[in-house]
Amino acid sequence: MTLAENARTLHAELEWFEKLLSVRMELFNKKKKDDSLQASFLLENQAPDLRSDSSNYAFLVQNMYQECSRLYKDTSLVCMHTAERVLLILTLIPHIKPHALDVFYITDETGREFTQFGGTRGHYHKGFIPTGETALFILAGNNLELRFSFQKIFSTEHFFFRTQILSLQTSNSNEPYLSGNLEISKEYLQLLTTSELYEPDYSTEFPAQRIQTRLSWDDLVLDYHARQDVEEVKAWIKHYKTLMLDPALGREIYGYRCLFYGESGTGKTLTTMLLGKEVDLAVYRIDLSKIVSKYIGETEKNLGNIFTQAKNKDWILFFDEGESLFGKRTQTKSSNDRYANQEVAYLLQKIEEHPGIIILATNIRSNMDKAFIRRFQSEVYFAIPDTQSRLLLWEKAFQGYHHLDKRIDLQAIAEKYEMTGAAIKNVRNYCVIMSKDRQTDIILYEDFREGLRKQLDKEGKKL
């Protein structure tokens, strides 16, 4: 029903916009100079009433109106929420009814396009792509006072741009900033049309991948102290937004940052995925190998893309092997050192500015820059499992495999070999694969011993 409701609402909104645009073009073609006509333009062409509408578009408009009423104190000249709806539907039009803007394909008596219309042409898209100038032409015509009033909509503090519903693409530095293309985010484009939830694809612009798990907290084996610390992290994630709104704490708390440290395979990634699952937040693991670049400025650009897309999203950003990017700053002995330190400073700034959740994992805490560590509200140490924990991990790993060779003594194995949960699962996987290959349900002692040997060899240990 939501898809049908979205279509019905957008159809009515398009009819209103096209009528509005028709009146604006009529005023333009007749070269009307009367400022009273320009000022009453929006008031005389009211948008459809969406108060009883249940579409995603209507929901956004109603919430947007409340936010903008708070932002703009003076609405004596214009009805700002109507202007914002003009901007919103204008930015949607190239995606849902591109030919609605064909009216701008007119020229003057010399064959030249009208500067007032703004707009650009795409490489493949054959229609008119609106710019900031296009919006101001529709809203204000040739009335400078109105134009200046409406320019507030393009402020970075406006609801549209602060929540990244819309963006004004940067034009060349020597050109007016309103000559940039108006774009709607992919997230809101899908929400307002098909009602699908948007998940960014892994790319050079977004080198991060969503990670999920089908496991539960019962599958995670941690010592008592780590379990208690994880419970604290869980509480922070559940309530940090409330704390940010607190009159006293809100000035000190902005976003939430947590450090996980300990050997590989001790449960840092699984814990992060379980936290996301617990609070219904998407977890994105950042591919640091795609972020760090040998070219000056590229690392900052890659990180900037991630933080820009993650802003105001209910995501958990998970930086694995964080010491490779968030390591100690060095003494400045060369230009490379200077640029590396600049990257660290940039990261500090982006982490502090990010209003969401960041979990950073590292194998060695001592390799981390102290300035980074001070910015984390919580830390969790993931220790190598002790004997009792290892036994529990072995038992959980082979749970459901009832035909375990009687010669396999999990208690003795747990006591003798210090291994992480990930290493134990590797042994289990080898055994299961071999049993399937033998077309039997029995986990043979020989397969177990060989799988254990292979894993110990990888760790430089002997059976």
Side-chain angles (χ1 to χ4, degrees):
M1 284 297 294
T2 305
L3 190 148
E5 289 166 352
N6 286 346
R8 184 168 57 251
T9 302
L10 286 173
H11 179 75
E13 198 81 351
L14 282 167
E15 285 189 333
W16 162 70
F17 176 86
E18 288 179 288
K19 178 183 177 182
L20 196 72
L21 183 56
S22 175
V23 175
R24 170 57 69 204
M25 294 304 291
E26 182 180 352
L27 291 171
F28 173 77
N29 290 327
K30 292 181 178 179
K31 295 182 171 50
K32 298 286 186 181
K33 302 294 184 180
D34 189 347
D35 279 355
S36 63
L37 287 175
Q38 305 289 353
S40 62
F41 171 68
L42 287 181
L43 298 174
E44 292 178 358
N45 294 275
Q46 284 292 298
D49 188 347
L50 299 179
R51 284 175 293 183
S52 60
D53 196 311
S54 58
S55 67
N56 289 339
Y57 184 90
F59 180 82
L60 176 62
V61 166
Q62 298 306 315
N63 282 273
M64 178 181 68
Y65 172 71
Q66 295 173 11
E67 180 71 11
C68 291
S69 296
R70 183 183 67 81
L71 284 173
Y72 298 110
K73 308 299 182 183
D74 181 12
T75 56
S76 58
L77 284 175
V78 293
C79 187
M80 291 300 296
H81 69 286
T82 304
E84 287 150 357
R85 283 174 68 170
V86 170
L87 186 60
L88 180 59
I89 192 65
L90 173 65
T91 312
L92 269 170
I93 282 176
H95 302 277
I96 60 176
K97 193 176 181 180
H99 55 281
L101 301 179
D102 284 354
V103 294
F104 291 121
Y105 285 130
I106 58 174
T107 57
D108 61 18
E109 57 274 9
T110 67
R112 186 175 181 275
E113 295 177 344
F114 287 96
T115 307
Q116 297 96 315
F117 299 164
T120 62
R121 309 291 187 272
H123 185 69
Y124 296 106
H125 181 74
K126 301 304 180 184
F128 184 93
I129 300 175
T131 62
E133 282 293 345
T134 311
L136 287 180
F137 166 76
I138 297 171
L139 292 170
N142 58 12
N143 187 312
L144 278 181
E145 186 176 356
L146 282 179
R147 178 186 174 94
F148 298 155
S149 296
F150 287 126
Q151 280 185 201
K152 289 188 286 188
I153 300 178
F154 297 96
S155 164
T156 55
E157 291 302 311
H158 189 274
F159 178 81
F160 276 146
F161 300 97
R162 194 171 70 243
T163 58
Q164 296 180 294
I165 297 174
L166 306 182
S167 62
L168 185 63
Q169 295 302 302
T170 306
S171 56
N172 293 331
S173 58
N174 59 341
E175 296 183 14
Y177 81 100
L178 288 173
S179 61
N181 288 351
L182 281 170
E183 291 189 7
I184 188 167
S185 69
K186 292 180 181 178
E187 177 187 9
Y188 278 92
L189 176 61
Q190 289 187 190
L191 179 68
L192 299 180
T193 55
T194 63
S195 294
E196 296 174 355
L197 293 177
Y198 171 69
E199 291 187 9
D201 296 324
Y202 182 95
S203 66
T204 54
E205 287 75 28
F206 189 76
Q209 187 173 24
R210 185 173 183 182
I211 54 174
Q212 302 178 77
T213 182
R214 290 180 290 180
L215 299 178
S216 68
W217 289 108
D218 292 335
D219 298 299
L220 181 66
V221 176
L222 298 175
D223 63 34
Y224 173 79
H225 296 292
R227 179 72 69 173
Q228 292 299 110
D229 289 341
V230 169
E231 288 299 318
E232 178 195 336
V233 174
K234 194 187 301 183
W236 265 102
I237 292 176
K238 285 181 177 179
H239 304 297
Y240 84 99
K241 286 187 176 179
T242 304
L243 293 176
M244 287 169 64
L245 297 174
D246 185 273
L249 295 177
R251 292 175 295 178
E252 302 174 4
I253 296 174
Y254 191 70
Y256 174 67
R257 295 166 288 279
C258 180
L259 178 67
F260 287 175
Y261 65 100
E263 293 290 334
S264 295
T266 50
K268 298 186 293 294
T269 302
L270 176 57
T271 300
T272 304
M273 291 189 291
L274 289 173
L275 285 168
K277 188 175 182 180
E278 172 85 12
V279 295
D280 196 24
L281 297 180
V283 178
Y284 282 90
R285 178 164 54 194
I286 313 303
D287 187 344
L288 296 178
S289 65
K290 297 293 184 183
I291 287 179
V292 180
S293 174
K294 63 181 179 180
Y295 298 107
I296 296 172
E298 282 298 308
T299 300
E300 291 95 326
K301 179 182 177 182
N302 294 338
L303 273 165
N305 288 336
I306 289 173
F307 282 109
T308 297
Q309 293 203 48
K311 187 177 181 182
N312 299 308
K313 303 289 197 312
D314 282 333
W315 295 348
I316 296 175
L317 294 183
F318 178 57
F319 290 86
D320 202 3
E321 299 180 3
E323 68 276 0
S324 63
L325 189 60
F326 299 84
K328 290 182 177 180
R329 280 173 278 194
T330 61
Q331 292 183 348
T332 305
K333 297 180 180 179
S334 67
S335 60
N336 288 338
D337 292 337
R338 184 168 63 254
Y339 290 125
N341 289 341
Q342 287 177 1
E343 289 176 353
V344 173
Y346 176 81
L347 291 172
L348 283 170
Q349 176 189 347
K350 299 305 291 186
I351 283 178
E352 287 192 323
E353 291 176 350
H354 185 62
I357 303 166
I358 293 175
I359 295 178
L360 191 144
T362 179
N363 296 341
I364 308 174
R365 184 182 184 277
S366 60
N367 286 353
M368 297 293 297
D369 188 285
K370 291 182 179 179
F372 274 115
I373 294 175
R374 286 196 298 269
R375 285 161 172 79
F376 290 93
Q377 285 101 326
S378 305
E379 293 184 27
V380 181
Y381 172 55
F382 290 77
I384 296 290
D386 59 18
T387 300
Q388 195 59 38
S389 296
R390 290 197 294 272
L391 176 59
L392 184 57
L393 285 166
W394 280 114
E395 290 173 345
K396 285 180 176 293
F398 285 98
Q399 192 173 7
Y401 297 96
H402 303 294
H403 304 292
L404 197 64
D405 194 307
K406 293 182 179 180
R407 291 175 293 172
I408 300 174
D409 186 346
L410 295 181
Q411 176 71 48
I413 296 295
E415 291 175 356
K416 187 174 182 180
Y417 298 105
E418 187 179 85
M419 302 179 74
T420 65
I424 289 171
K425 288 179 182 178
N426 287 341
V427 177
R428 186 273 315 275
N429 293 344
Y430 175 83
C431 294
V432 172
I433 290 170
M434 290 299 102
S435 69
K436 297 298 181 184
D437 193 52
R438 298 175 191 273
Q439 297 182 334
T440 177
D441 292 331
I442 300 174
I443 302 297
L444 298 180
Y445 174 79
E446 291 77 14
D447 290 339
F448 184 92
R449 183 177 176 83
E450 180 62 14
L452 184 59
R453 183 195 66 78
K454 286 177 175 290
Q455 183 60 39
L456 291 173
D457 281 349
K458 285 195 294 184
E459 299 176 9
K461 302 175 183 178
K462 295 298 181 182
L463 184 65

